[in-house]
Amino acid sequence: MSPEAGSALIALAGAIIGSTVVLVGQRQAASQEARRLAHQTRGRVNALAVAVVRDFLACAKVVERLAERREAGEILSGDVIRTATDAMWLKLQEVEVFCPKQIGVSAREFVDAHQFAVWDQPHVPVDTFLAGPRKTLFSVARPFFQESD
């Protein structure tokens, strides 16, 4: 083999090795960037879901307070109750859209319990009546909102 051919083969081998190293580095960088973007997206989606659930719970609290007022003997107009329950139902729809399905299912049961508490007045204290659905909703939602790596 001539010296020029040997030099050409060495140069070709060097180019192949160099290209391979660059390609592997680019793939690793692209993979790291994809993981970073996925993590940021999960964070934004999780933040949105947390905000939606927070707003939902605030509306449910208004309905709960109305149920407690009725329990205490206060007479409330249907319009006042309907305004509060309508807002709660609207927030429930946001939960069902922006949160995992399991949270939406538990939130609907939570709303059904609030509806019964405010309109039909359970035969137990309102806070006792709502404790079960609240505990279920929180136990279902907690794992979704805890930080994970």
Side-chain angles (χ1 to χ4, degrees), residues 2-15:
S2 71
E4 294 93 26
S7 296
L9 283 176
I10 291 173
L12 179 63

Side-chain angles (χ1 to χ4, degrees), residues 10 21 25 39 65 88 90 94 101 108 113 123 136:
I10 291 173
V21 168
H39 180 72
R65 294 291 180 238
M88 180 178 62
L90 287 173
E94 290 180 14
K101 183 177 180 178
R108 182 166 289 274
H123 297 291
T136 300

Side-chain angles (χ1 to χ4, degrees), residues 100-142:
K101 183 177 180 178
Q102 301 92 322
I103 295 174
V105 169
S106 293
R108 182 166 289 274
E109 292 170 1
F110 191 65
V111 165
D112 290 343
H114 277 73
Q115 288 283 97
F116 184 82
V118 75
W119 288 108
D120 300 321
Q121 297 179 318
H123 297 291
V124 296
V126 170
D127 61 336
T128 302
F129 181 76
L130 295 176
R134 179 181 294 111
K135 182 178 179 182
T136 300
L137 175 61
F138 289 173
S139 66
V140 168
R142 185 174 295 111

Side-chain angles (χ1 to χ4, degrees), residues 38-48 50 141-149:
H39 180 72
Q40 286 179 342
T41 301
R42 272 194 310 274
R44 283 192 299 271
V45 169
N46 196 29
L48 173 63
V50 168
R142 185 174 295 111
F144 289 101
F145 297 130
Q146 287 179 337
E147 285 295 321
S148 61
D149 295 321

Side-chain angles (χ1 to χ4, degrees), residues 55-94:
D55 291 346
F56 166 71
L57 292 173
C59 288
K61 183 54 87 175
V62 171
V63 174
E64 183 176 345
R65 294 291 180 238
L66 292 176
E68 290 170 345
R69 287 170 57 189
R70 286 194 71 198
E71 179 181 57
E74 188 174 338
I75 298 173
L76 301 170
S77 74
D79 289 340
V80 169
I81 296 171
R82 191 167 295 104
T83 299
T85 58
D86 285 353
M88 180 178 62
W89 276 101
L90 287 173
K91 292 300 178 181
L92 170 64
Q93 291 171 351
E94 290 180 14

